[in-house]
Amino acid sequence: MSAFTFDPRIGTMKLLNRQSSAGADPCYISIDEDRKNAFVANYSSGSLAVLPINKDGSLQKPSQVIQDEGKGPDASRQEGPHVHMAYFSPGEKFLIYNDLGTDKMNIMRYRPSKPQPLTLETSVSVKPGNGPRHLVFSNDHKYLYLLQEMGSAINVYQFNGGKPKELQSVKMLNPDFKGTNGAAAIHITPDGHFLFATDRLEASAILSYSINPETGKLTFMERHITAKNPRDFAIDPTGKWLL
């Protein structure tokens, strides 16, 4: 992992230092609001690392490494753990990391003052072989939406005190679809009314859903076919443009 300074006036960057992610193929990084720690998801080794941040923004060596164990039913993709995301809940009481290899969403209690700040609160299993990838919270913080890469599905949870309750599971593929798929990214519009998600490979599309503000549940709206492999996207702050 590398830390840089950034000068927003002229757009220049300067390397501060580098530290090991304590795992193989780091793929996602999150930082708490107080900038005390960086949290790194190591995909291939199936681990989550915590790297303390110095006052100048440089990184210390990992203070905690959580190594997942287990596997899933798909021997080609789930031969072992594959941590794909590390993401804070609103208010930062919990850090959530998704493990594609073990079909689990792991919710960790975050106590920033402790030398090892993460402890397991609970784990949520998804349908075997679905492979959870990324997640997003509703704008009112009541609901969590979990995107599953291998199963191309979105699970909706009520999120209360670190204990998710499943409300709905939405399949992204058409019932007659026979090709390859791989759901990738999930985001919500600034007004909180709509959710978008991508699917890759032969299913390549961006799907849109409306969000019921009373229940958090999703209703399918549109499937927009794209060029192959839409891995990620962003919605601009006005909510008028999707890139």
Side-chain angles (χ1 to χ4, degrees):
M1 304 306 300
S2 300
F4 298 85
T5 62
F6 176 70
D7 187 336
R9 298 171 299 168
I10 54 177
T12 57
M13 299 173 66
K14 180 181 178 181
L15 178 68
L16 288 170
N17 75 328
R18 293 189 177 97
Q19 294 286 4
S20 170
S21 71
D25 298 325
C27 64
Y28 200 97
I29 184 168
S30 291
I31 295 172
D32 60 358
E33 290 184 358
D34 292 333
R35 292 185 290 183
K36 289 186 175 182
N37 292 294
F39 304 85
V40 184
N42 292 301
Y43 180 81
S44 291
S45 57
S47 61
L48 175 71
V50 183
L51 283 72
I53 301 173
N54 296 314
K55 289 185 177 180
D56 67 351
S58 60
L59 295 168
Q60 298 179 30
K61 293 180 179 179
S63 63
Q64 184 176 10
V65 179
I66 298 168
Q67 178 62 58
D68 270 6
E69 302 290 343
K71 57 185 179 179
D74 188 330
S76 64
R77 295 289 312 278
Q78 297 179 306
E79 78 295 341
H82 294 304
V83 177
H84 223 313
M85 187 186 209
Y87 194 84
F88 272 110
S89 67
E92 297 191 346
K93 289 184 178 180
F94 303 99
L95 183 91
I96 304 167
Y97 72 93
N98 300 328
D99 190 332
L100 177 144
T102 63
D103 289 316
K104 287 184 178 181
M105 175 174 64
N106 300 295
I107 300 167
M108 311 297 291
R109 175 77 66 169
Y110 179 48
R111 297 180 176 90
S113 61
K114 293 195 172 186
Q116 293 194 334
L118 297 178
T119 55
L120 181 64
E121 184 78 10
T122 188
S123 291
V124 177
S125 295
V126 301
K127 181 180 178 181
N130 263 20
R133 180 183 173 97
H134 283 188
L135 65 89
V136 67
F137 279 88
S138 62
N139 291 16
D140 62 7
H141 305 165
K142 293 180 181 179
Y143 306 102
L144 183 158
Y145 300 90
L146 176 65
L147 184 73
Q148 295 150 90
E149 176 178 335
M150 297 168 62
S152 289
I154 302 170
N155 283 9
V156 183
Y157 299 89
Q158 187 177 45
F159 192 82
N160 185 13
K163 295 176 173 58
K165 176 184 177 182
E166 185 174 332
L167 303 176
Q168 182 187 28
S169 186
V170 176
K171 295 182 179 179
M172 298 170 63
L173 298 171
N174 282 322
D176 58 350
F177 180 78
K178 301 296 183 183
T180 57
N181 61 283
I186 184 168
H187 299 293
I188 289 175
T189 54
D191 62 12
H193 295 166
F194 305 99
L195 180 146
F196 290 81
T198 64
D199 211 343
R200 293 173 295 163
L201 304 176
E202 293 172 345
S204 291
I206 297 178
L207 290 81
S208 59
Y209 300 85
S210 63
I211 300 174
N212 186 317
E214 302 299 325
T215 66
K217 292 183 178 182
L218 302 176
T219 300
F220 174 76
M221 294 182 62
E222 183 182 12
R223 184 188 311 274
H224 178 77
I225 303 301
T226 71
K228 192 174 183 180
N229 290 333
R231 182 174 290 272
D232 201 1
F233 65 97
I235 301 168
D236 89 302
T238 70
K240 294 181 179 179
W241 302 99
L242 184 147
L243 295 81

PDB file of all heavy atoms in Angstrom, residues 37-70:
ATOM      1  N   ASN A  37      -6.883   4.862  10.785  1.00  0.00           N
ATOM      2  CA  ASN A  37      -6.538   3.558  10.220  1.00  0.00           C
ATOM      3  C   ASN A  37      -6.989   3.439   8.771  1.00  0.00           C
ATOM      4  O   ASN A  37      -8.008   4.016   8.372  1.00  0.00           O
ATOM      5  CB  ASN A  37      -7.200   2.434  11.026  1.00  0.00           C
ATOM      6  CG  ASN A  37      -6.637   2.296  12.429  1.00  0.00           C
ATOM      7  OD1 ASN A  37      -5.487   1.947  12.613  1.00  0.00           O
ATOM      8  ND2 ASN A  37      -7.463   2.596  13.427  1.00  0.00           N
ATOM      9  N   ALA A  38      -6.212   2.670   8.008  1.00  0.00           N
ATOM     10  CA  ALA A  38      -6.617   2.239   6.674  1.00  0.00           C
ATOM     11  C   ALA A  38      -6.917   0.747   6.733  1.00  0.00           C
ATOM     12  O   ALA A  38      -6.236  -0.007   7.437  1.00  0.00           O
ATOM     13  CB  ALA A  38      -5.519   2.518   5.659  1.00  0.00           C
ATOM     14  N   PHE A  39      -7.964   0.319   6.003  1.00  0.00           N
ATOM     15  CA  PHE A  39      -8.418  -1.069   6.024  1.00  0.00           C
ATOM     16  C   PHE A  39      -8.342  -1.615   4.597  1.00  0.00           C
ATOM     17  O   PHE A  39      -8.940  -1.052   3.679  1.00  0.00           O
ATOM     18  CB  PHE A  39      -9.848  -1.154   6.560  1.00  0.00           C
ATOM     19  CG  PHE A  39      -9.989  -0.539   7.924  1.00  0.00           C
ATOM     20  CD1 PHE A  39     -10.194   0.819   8.067  1.00  0.00           C
ATOM     21  CD2 PHE A  39      -9.882  -1.316   9.067  1.00  0.00           C
ATOM     22  CE1 PHE A  39     -10.310   1.398   9.324  1.00  0.00           C
ATOM     23  CE2 PHE A  39      -9.998  -0.748  10.324  1.00  0.00           C
ATOM     24  CZ  PHE A  39     -10.208   0.613  10.448  1.00  0.00           C
ATOM     25  N   VAL A  40      -7.606  -2.710   4.441  1.00  0.00           N
ATOM     26  CA  VAL A  40      -7.275  -3.205   3.115  1.00  0.00           C
ATOM     27  C   VAL A  40      -7.796  -4.625   2.939  1.00  0.00           C
ATOM     28  O   VAL A  40      -7.519  -5.505   3.755  1.00  0.00           O
ATOM     29  CB  VAL A  40      -5.754  -3.184   2.883  1.00  0.00           C
ATOM     30  CG1 VAL A  40      -5.436  -3.620   1.465  1.00  0.00           C
ATOM     31  CG2 VAL A  40      -5.198  -1.789   3.152  1.00  0.00           C
ATOM     32  N   ALA A  41      -8.565  -4.839   1.872  1.00  0.00           N
ATOM     33  CA  ALA A  41      -9.047  -6.171   1.522  1.00  0.00           C
ATOM     34  C   ALA A  41      -8.053  -6.830   0.577  1.00  0.00           C
ATOM     35  O   ALA A  41      -7.764  -6.308  -0.500  1.00  0.00           O
ATOM     36  CB  ALA A  41     -10.423  -6.077   0.860  1.00  0.00           C
ATOM     37  N   ASN A  42      -7.501  -7.969   0.997  1.00  0.00           N
ATOM     38  CA  ASN A  42      -6.578  -8.746   0.163  1.00  0.00           C
ATOM     39  C   ASN A  42      -7.344  -9.891  -0.488  1.00  0.00           C
ATOM     40  O   ASN A  42      -7.730 -10.848   0.196  1.00  0.00           O
ATOM     41  CB  ASN A  42      -5.436  -9.298   1.018  1.00  0.00           C
ATOM     42  CG  ASN A  42      -4.526  -8.207   1.535  1.00  0.00           C
ATOM     43  OD1 ASN A  42      -3.939  -7.464   0.760  1.00  0.00           O
ATOM     44  ND2 ASN A  42      -4.405  -8.093   2.852  1.00  0.00           N
ATOM     45  N   TYR A  43      -7.534  -9.798  -1.794  1.00  0.00           N
ATOM     46  CA  TYR A  43      -8.414 -10.749  -2.481  1.00  0.00           C
ATOM     47  C   TYR A  43      -7.863 -12.179  -2.476  1.00  0.00           C
ATOM     48  O   TYR A  43      -8.495 -13.103  -1.965  1.00  0.00           O
ATOM     49  CB  TYR A  43      -8.676 -10.293  -3.918  1.00  0.00           C
ATOM     50  CG  TYR A  43      -9.574 -11.243  -4.680  1.00  0.00           C
ATOM     51  CD1 TYR A  43     -10.960 -11.191  -4.529  1.00  0.00           C
ATOM     52  CD2 TYR A  43      -9.048 -12.217  -5.517  1.00  0.00           C
ATOM     53  CE1 TYR A  43     -11.793 -12.078  -5.190  1.00  0.00           C
ATOM     54  CE2 TYR A  43      -9.872 -13.108  -6.189  1.00  0.00           C
ATOM     55  CZ  TYR A  43     -11.236 -13.037  -6.020  1.00  0.00           C
ATOM     56  OH  TYR A  43     -12.049 -13.923  -6.683  1.00  0.00           O
ATOM     57  N   SER A  44      -6.694 -12.374  -3.055  1.00  0.00           N
ATOM     58  CA  SER A  44      -6.230 -13.742  -3.287  1.00  0.00           C
ATOM     59  C   SER A  44      -5.891 -14.487  -2.005  1.00  0.00           C
ATOM     60  O   SER A  44      -6.097 -15.702  -1.910  1.00  0.00           O
ATOM     61  CB  SER A  44      -5.021 -13.741  -4.224  1.00  0.00           C
ATOM     62  OG  SER A  44      -5.413 -13.352  -5.527  1.00  0.00           O
ATOM     63  N   SER A  45      -5.360 -13.774  -1.006  1.00  0.00           N
ATOM     64  CA  SER A  45      -5.027 -14.443   0.260  1.00  0.00           C
ATOM     65  C   SER A  45      -6.216 -14.523   1.207  1.00  0.00           C
ATOM     66  O   SER A  45      -6.154 -15.222   2.226  1.00  0.00           O
ATOM     67  CB  SER A  45      -3.875 -13.712   0.949  1.00  0.00           C
ATOM     68  OG  SER A  45      -4.206 -12.358   1.174  1.00  0.00           O
ATOM     69  N   GLY A  46      -7.305 -13.785   0.908  1.00  0.00           N
ATOM     70  CA  GLY A  46      -8.494 -13.861   1.748  1.00  0.00           C
ATOM     71  C   GLY A  46      -8.284 -13.279   3.126  1.00  0.00           C
ATOM     72  O   GLY A  46      -8.698 -13.876   4.126  1.00  0.00           O
ATOM     73  N   SER A  47      -7.664 -12.090   3.183  1.00  0.00           N
ATOM     74  CA  SER A  47      -7.389 -11.484   4.483  1.00  0.00           C
ATOM     75  C   SER A  47      -7.753 -10.002   4.482  1.00  0.00           C
ATOM     76  O   SER A  47      -7.872  -9.369   3.434  1.00  0.00           O
ATOM     77  CB  SER A  47      -5.914 -11.655   4.852  1.00  0.00           C
ATOM     78  OG  SER A  47      -5.077 -11.028   3.902  1.00  0.00           O
ATOM     79  N   LEU A  48      -7.918  -9.476   5.687  1.00  0.00           N
ATOM     80  CA  LEU A  48      -8.206  -8.062   5.908  1.00  0.00           C
ATOM     81  C   LEU A  48      -7.115  -7.509   6.812  1.00  0.00           C
ATOM     82  O   LEU A  48      -6.839  -8.065   7.873  1.00  0.00           O
ATOM     83  CB  LEU A  48      -9.578  -7.894   6.566  1.00  0.00           C
ATOM     84  CG  LEU A  48      -9.973  -6.472   6.967  1.00  0.00           C
ATOM     85  CD1 LEU A  48     -10.267  -5.640   5.734  1.00  0.00           C
ATOM     86  CD2 LEU A  48     -11.191  -6.497   7.889  1.00  0.00           C
ATOM     87  N   ALA A  49      -6.483  -6.391   6.405  1.00  0.00           N
ATOM     88  CA  ALA A  49      -5.393  -5.809   7.179  1.00  0.00           C
ATOM     89  C   ALA A  49      -5.748  -4.399   7.629  1.00  0.00           C
ATOM     90  O   ALA A  49      -6.415  -3.654   6.898  1.00  0.00           O
ATOM     91  CB  ALA A  49      -4.107  -5.777   6.358  1.00  0.00           C
ATOM     92  N   VAL A  50      -5.303  -4.053   8.834  1.00  0.00           N
ATOM     93  CA  VAL A  50      -5.484  -2.711   9.399  1.00  0.00           C
ATOM     94  C   VAL A  50      -4.117  -2.039   9.462  1.00  0.00           C
ATOM     95  O   VAL A  50      -3.194  -2.559  10.106  1.00  0.00           O
ATOM     96  CB  VAL A  50      -6.092  -2.781  10.812  1.00  0.00           C
ATOM     97  CG1 VAL A  50      -6.340  -1.374  11.349  1.00  0.00           C
ATOM     98  CG2 VAL A  50      -7.374  -3.599  10.812  1.00  0.00           C
ATOM     99  N   LEU A  51      -3.975  -0.891   8.803  1.00  0.00           N
ATOM    100  CA  LEU A  51      -2.721  -0.157   8.798  1.00  0.00           C
ATOM    101  C   LEU A  51      -2.930   1.198   9.468  1.00  0.00           C
ATOM    102  O   LEU A  51      -3.667   2.043   8.945  1.00  0.00           O
ATOM    103  CB  LEU A  51      -2.202   0.069   7.373  1.00  0.00           C
ATOM    104  CG  LEU A  51      -1.541  -1.116   6.663  1.00  0.00           C
ATOM    105  CD1 LEU A  51      -2.576  -2.163   6.267  1.00  0.00           C
ATOM    106  CD2 LEU A  51      -0.775  -0.643   5.436  1.00  0.00           C
ATOM    107  N   PRO A  52      -2.332   1.449  10.653  1.00  0.00           N
ATOM    108  CA  PRO A  52      -2.454   2.753  11.291  1.00  0.00           C
ATOM    109  C   PRO A  52      -1.870   3.859  10.407  1.00  0.00           C
ATOM    110  O   PRO A  52      -0.914   3.636   9.655  1.00  0.00           O
ATOM    111  CB  PRO A  52      -1.650   2.591  12.582  1.00  0.00           C
ATOM    112  CG  PRO A  52      -1.640   1.119  12.838  1.00  0.00           C
ATOM    113  CD  PRO A  52      -1.597   0.486  11.485  1.00  0.00           C
ATOM    114  N   ILE A  53      -2.453   5.040  10.508  1.00  0.00           N
ATOM    115  CA  ILE A  53      -2.033   6.187   9.708  1.00  0.00           C
ATOM    116  C   ILE A  53      -1.349   7.207  10.613  1.00  0.00           C
ATOM    117  O   ILE A  53      -1.891   7.601  11.649  1.00  0.00           O
ATOM    118  CB  ILE A  53      -3.235   6.829   9.003  1.00  0.00           C
ATOM    119  CG1 ILE A  53      -3.935   5.804   8.092  1.00  0.00           C
ATOM    120  CG2 ILE A  53      -2.812   8.047   8.181  1.00  0.00           C
ATOM    121  CD1 ILE A  53      -5.232   6.305   7.489  1.00  0.00           C
ATOM    122  N   ASN A  54      -0.155   7.655  10.228  1.00  0.00           N
ATOM    123  CA  ASN A  54       0.549   8.689  10.967  1.00  0.00           C
ATOM    124  C   ASN A  54      -0.061  10.064  10.701  1.00  0.00           C
ATOM    125  O   ASN A  54      -0.847  10.241   9.769  1.00  0.00           O
ATOM    126  CB  ASN A  54       2.033   8.691  10.574  1.00  0.00           C
ATOM    127  CG  ASN A  54       2.731   7.404  10.949  1.00  0.00           C
ATOM    128  OD1 ASN A  54       2.568   6.905  12.059  1.00  0.00           O
ATOM    129  ND2 ASN A  54       3.513   6.860  10.033  1.00  0.00           N
ATOM    130  N   LYS A  55       0.317  11.038  11.520  1.00  0.00           N
ATOM    131  CA  LYS A  55      -0.248  12.377  11.386  1.00  0.00           C
ATOM    132  C   LYS A  55       0.069  13.015  10.038  1.00  0.00           C
ATOM    133  O   LYS A  55      -0.696  13.839   9.531  1.00  0.00           O
ATOM    134  CB  LYS A  55       0.249  13.268  12.528  1.00  0.00           C
ATOM    135  CG  LYS A  55      -0.358  12.918  13.885  1.00  0.00           C
ATOM    136  CD  LYS A  55       0.071  13.897  14.960  1.00  0.00           C
ATOM    137  CE  LYS A  55      -0.607  13.564  16.292  1.00  0.00           C
ATOM    138  NZ  LYS A  55      -0.195  14.526  17.364  1.00  0.00           N
ATOM    139  N   ASP A  56       1.199  12.647   9.447  1.00  0.00           N
ATOM    140  CA  ASP A  56       1.555  13.218   8.145  1.00  0.00           C
ATOM    141  C   ASP A  56       0.921  12.451   6.991  1.00  0.00           C
ATOM    142  O   ASP A  56       1.151  12.764   5.828  1.00  0.00           O
ATOM    143  CB  ASP A  56       3.069  13.269   7.977  1.00  0.00           C
ATOM    144  CG  ASP A  56       3.700  11.877   7.875  1.00  0.00           C
ATOM    145  OD1 ASP A  56       2.995  10.868   8.101  1.00  0.00           O
ATOM    146  OD2 ASP A  56       4.903  11.789   7.572  1.00  0.00           O
ATOM    147  N   GLY A  57       0.094  11.446   7.304  1.00  0.00           N
ATOM    148  CA  GLY A  57      -0.584  10.680   6.273  1.00  0.00           C
ATOM    149  C   GLY A  57       0.128   9.416   5.847  1.00  0.00           C
ATOM    150  O   GLY A  57      -0.427   8.604   5.100  1.00  0.00           O
ATOM    151  N   SER A  58       1.352   9.211   6.296  1.00  0.00           N
ATOM    152  CA  SER A  58       2.074   7.991   5.946  1.00  0.00           C
ATOM    153  C   SER A  58       1.498   6.796   6.702  1.00  0.00           C
ATOM    154  O   SER A  58       0.806   6.955   7.711  1.00  0.00           O
ATOM    155  CB  SER A  58       3.572   8.150   6.252  1.00  0.00           C
ATOM    156  OG  SER A  58       3.776   8.415   7.627  1.00  0.00           O
ATOM    157  N   LEU A  59       1.796   5.617   6.200  1.00  0.00           N
ATOM    158  CA  LEU A  59       1.233   4.380   6.746  1.00  0.00           C
ATOM    159  C   LEU A  59       2.230   3.663   7.645  1.00  0.00           C
ATOM    160  O   LEU A  59       3.425   3.595   7.342  1.00  0.00           O
ATOM    161  CB  LEU A  59       0.822   3.443   5.610  1.00  0.00           C
ATOM    162  CG  LEU A  59      -0.310   3.915   4.700  1.00  0.00           C
ATOM    163  CD1 LEU A  59      -0.389   3.034   3.463  1.00  0.00           C
ATOM    164  CD2 LEU A  59      -1.636   3.913   5.441  1.00  0.00           C
ATOM    165  N   GLN A  60       1.726   3.112   8.736  1.00  0.00           N
ATOM    166  CA  GLN A  60       2.520   2.220   9.564  1.00  0.00           C
ATOM    167  C   GLN A  60       2.333   0.781   9.081  1.00  0.00           C
ATOM    168  O   GLN A  60       1.480   0.488   8.245  1.00  0.00           O
ATOM    169  CB  GLN A  60       2.085   2.326  11.027  1.00  0.00           C
ATOM    170  CG  GLN A  60       2.265   3.699  11.643  1.00  0.00           C
ATOM    171  CD  GLN A  60       1.796   3.733  13.087  1.00  0.00           C
ATOM    172  OE1 GLN A  60       1.849   2.734  13.798  1.00  0.00           O
ATOM    173  NE2 GLN A  60       1.337   4.903  13.519  1.00  0.00           N
ATOM    174  N   LYS A  61       3.137  -0.122   9.642  1.00  0.00           N
ATOM    175  CA  LYS A  61       2.961  -1.541   9.346  1.00  0.00           C
ATOM    176  C   LYS A  61       1.618  -2.011   9.906  1.00  0.00           C
ATOM    177  O   LYS A  61       1.085  -1.423  10.835  1.00  0.00           O
ATOM    178  CB  LYS A  61       4.102  -2.350   9.949  1.00  0.00           C
ATOM    179  CG  LYS A  61       5.451  -2.075   9.314  1.00  0.00           C
ATOM    180  CD  LYS A  61       6.543  -2.923   9.956  1.00  0.00           C
ATOM    181  CE  LYS A  61       7.893  -2.656   9.295  1.00  0.00           C
ATOM    182  NZ  LYS A  61       8.970  -3.460   9.912  1.00  0.00           N
ATOM    183  N   PRO A  62       1.039  -3.071   9.335  1.00  0.00           N
ATOM    184  CA  PRO A  62      -0.262  -3.549   9.822  1.00  0.00           C
ATOM    185  C   PRO A  62      -0.253  -3.842  11.319  1.00  0.00           C
ATOM    186  O   PRO A  62       0.660  -4.494  11.825  1.00  0.00           O
ATOM    187  CB  PRO A  62      -0.495  -4.820   9.004  1.00  0.00           C
ATOM    188  CG  PRO A  62       0.277  -4.601   7.747  1.00  0.00           C
ATOM    189  CD  PRO A  62       1.508  -3.839   8.168  1.00  0.00           C
ATOM    190  N   SER A  63      -1.281  -3.344  11.992  1.00  0.00           N
ATOM    191  CA  SER A  63      -1.443  -3.609  13.428  1.00  0.00           C
ATOM    192  C   SER A  63      -2.337  -4.810  13.678  1.00  0.00           C
ATOM    193  O   SER A  63      -2.342  -5.371  14.770  1.00  0.00           O
ATOM    194  CB  SER A  63      -2.035  -2.385  14.122  1.00  0.00           C
ATOM    195  OG  SER A  63      -3.339  -2.107  13.613  1.00  0.00           O
ATOM    196  N   GLN A  64      -3.108  -5.207  12.666  1.00  0.00           N
ATOM    197  CA  GLN A  64      -4.014  -6.345  12.803  1.00  0.00           C
ATOM    198  C   GLN A  64      -4.244  -6.948  11.424  1.00  0.00           C
ATOM    199  O   GLN A  64      -4.458  -6.216  10.441  1.00  0.00           O
ATOM    200  CB  GLN A  64      -5.351  -5.902  13.411  1.00  0.00           C
ATOM    201  CG  GLN A  64      -6.335  -7.042  13.680  1.00  0.00           C
ATOM    202  CD  GLN A  64      -7.605  -6.565  14.366  1.00  0.00           C
ATOM    203  OE1 GLN A  64      -7.855  -5.366  14.479  1.00  0.00           O
ATOM    204  NE2 GLN A  64      -8.417  -7.489  14.834  1.00  0.00           N
ATOM    205  N   VAL A  65      -4.184  -8.260  11.342  1.00  0.00           N
ATOM    206  CA  VAL A  65      -4.489  -8.977  10.098  1.00  0.00           C
ATOM    207  C   VAL A  65      -5.474 -10.087  10.433  1.00  0.00           C
ATOM    208  O   VAL A  65      -5.204 -10.932  11.291  1.00  0.00           O
ATOM    209  CB  VAL A  65      -3.226  -9.570   9.451  1.00  0.00           C
ATOM    210  CG1 VAL A  65      -3.599 -10.332   8.176  1.00  0.00           C
ATOM    211  CG2 VAL A  65      -2.220  -8.474   9.130  1.00  0.00           C
ATOM    212  N   ILE A  66      -6.612 -10.057   9.773  1.00  0.00           N
ATOM    213  CA  ILE A  66      -7.645 -11.079   9.975  1.00  0.00           C
ATOM    214  C   ILE A  66      -7.628 -12.016   8.771  1.00  0.00           C
ATOM    215  O   ILE A  66      -7.896 -11.585   7.645  1.00  0.00           O
ATOM    216  CB  ILE A  66      -9.022 -10.431  10.147  1.00  0.00           C
ATOM    217  CG1 ILE A  66      -9.030  -9.551  11.390  1.00  0.00           C
ATOM    218  CG2 ILE A  66     -10.122 -11.498  10.238  1.00  0.00           C
ATOM    219  CD1 ILE A  66     -10.245  -8.657  11.496  1.00  0.00           C
ATOM    220  N   GLN A  67      -7.287 -13.260   9.000  1.00  0.00           N
ATOM    221  CA  GLN A  67      -7.201 -14.243   7.932  1.00  0.00           C
ATOM    222  C   GLN A  67      -8.454 -15.116   7.932  1.00  0.00           C
ATOM    223  O   GLN A  67      -8.717 -15.846   8.887  1.00  0.00           O
ATOM    224  CB  GLN A  67      -5.968 -15.118   8.110  1.00  0.00           C
ATOM    225  CG  GLN A  67      -5.826 -16.216   7.059  1.00  0.00           C
ATOM    226  CD  GLN A  67      -5.677 -15.665   5.655  1.00  0.00           C
ATOM    227  OE1 GLN A  67      -4.752 -14.898   5.382  1.00  0.00           O
ATOM    228  NE2 GLN A  67      -6.581 -16.044   4.758  1.00  0.00           N
ATOM    229  N   ASP A  68      -9.238 -15.026   6.853  1.00  0.00           N
ATOM    230  CA  ASP A  68     -10.415 -15.879   6.738  1.00  0.00           C
ATOM    231  C   ASP A  68      -9.999 -17.317   6.395  1.00  0.00           C
ATOM    232  O   ASP A  68      -8.923 -17.557   5.830  1.00  0.00           O
ATOM    233  CB  ASP A  68     -11.360 -15.350   5.661  1.00  0.00           C
ATOM    234  CG  ASP A  68     -12.377 -14.374   6.219  1.00  0.00           C
ATOM    235  OD1 ASP A  68     -12.268 -14.023   7.404  1.00  0.00           O
ATOM    236  OD2 ASP A  68     -13.285 -13.968   5.477  1.00  0.00           O
ATOM    237  N   GLU A  69     -10.893 -18.243   6.694  1.00  0.00           N
ATOM    238  CA  GLU A  69     -10.695 -19.651   6.372  1.00  0.00           C
ATOM    239  C   GLU A  69     -11.978 -20.196   5.755  1.00  0.00           C
ATOM    240  O   GLU A  69     -13.067 -19.688   6.002  1.00  0.00           O
ATOM    241  CB  GLU A  69     -10.346 -20.464   7.625  1.00  0.00           C
ATOM    242  CG  GLU A  69      -9.104 -19.995   8.376  1.00  0.00           C
ATOM    243  CD  GLU A  69      -7.819 -20.248   7.631  1.00  0.00           C
ATOM    244  OE1 GLU A  69      -7.829 -21.066   6.685  1.00  0.00           O
ATOM    245  OE2 GLU A  69      -6.800 -19.617   7.986  1.00  0.00           O
ATOM    246  N   GLY A  70     -11.837 -21.237   4.954  1.00  0.00           N
ATOM    247  CA  GLY A  70     -13.012 -21.881   4.365  1.00  0.00           C
ATOM    248  C   GLY A  70     -13.021 -21.801   2.858  1.00  0.00           C
ATOM    249  O   GLY A  70     -12.093 -21.274   2.230  1.00  0.00           O
TER     250      GLY A  70
END
